[in-house]
Amino acid sequence: MPKVALLALVSAAAAAVAVVLYLFDPAAVAFYPRCMFHALTGLQCPGCGLTRAVHQVLHGDIAEAIRLNAFGIVFAPVVVAGAIAAPPRVLLRPWIGWTAVALVLGWGVARNVFEL
């Protein structure tokens, strides 16, 4: 598949997801998937609240989005910008992957220990 077609497909899928998230509040409707980690342990995983946070961002409420999942809202633009700007060979360096894993796990621990 050519890069332009792939980019168009990914963009269309992202737009469709954004429309659904804009129209249907994850806190009010039940068709969004539940977090299995939270259901099994009662703890928040690193991604808990991210769907609701993106809904709030789409409605312009950045403060509420950060309250729901600060890590995801603050670092998502950094990840997207890095993926667009960096050559693919840079993104495949092991230290980038391990740093991402450490940050995500650190956020998962911190949000439960400090109730963030």
Side-chain angles (χ1 to χ4, degrees):
M1 177 179 284
K3 286 184 179 182
V4 173
L6 181 61
L7 181 60
L9 182 63
V10 169
S11 298
V17 168
V19 167
V20 171
L21 270 173
Y22 182 83
L23 294 175
F24 300 100
D25 184 357
V29 296
F31 66 80
Y32 292 102
R34 295 302 219 195
C35 177
M36 294 307 296
F37 182 81
H38 182 70
L40 292 171
T41 67
L43 300 171
Q44 292 187 20
C45 77
C48 277
L50 194 54
T51 305
R52 290 175 286 136
V54 172
H55 174 79
Q56 295 300 324
V57 166
L58 292 172
H59 285 272
D61 192 350
I62 305 299
E64 179 64 9
I66 289 173
R67 187 189 70 74
L68 290 166
N69 191 319
F71 182 82
I73 296 303
V74 170
F75 286 104
V78 173
V79 171
V80 170
I84 291 170
R89 61 180 160 63
V90 171
L91 297 176
L92 295 176
R93 292 187 178 162
W95 70 269
I96 292 179
W98 287 113
T99 300
V101 168
L103 287 171
V104 169
L105 291 177
W107 167 247
V109 170
R111 76 181 314 192
N112 287 293
V113 171
F114 301 110
E115 298 181 15
L116 301 173

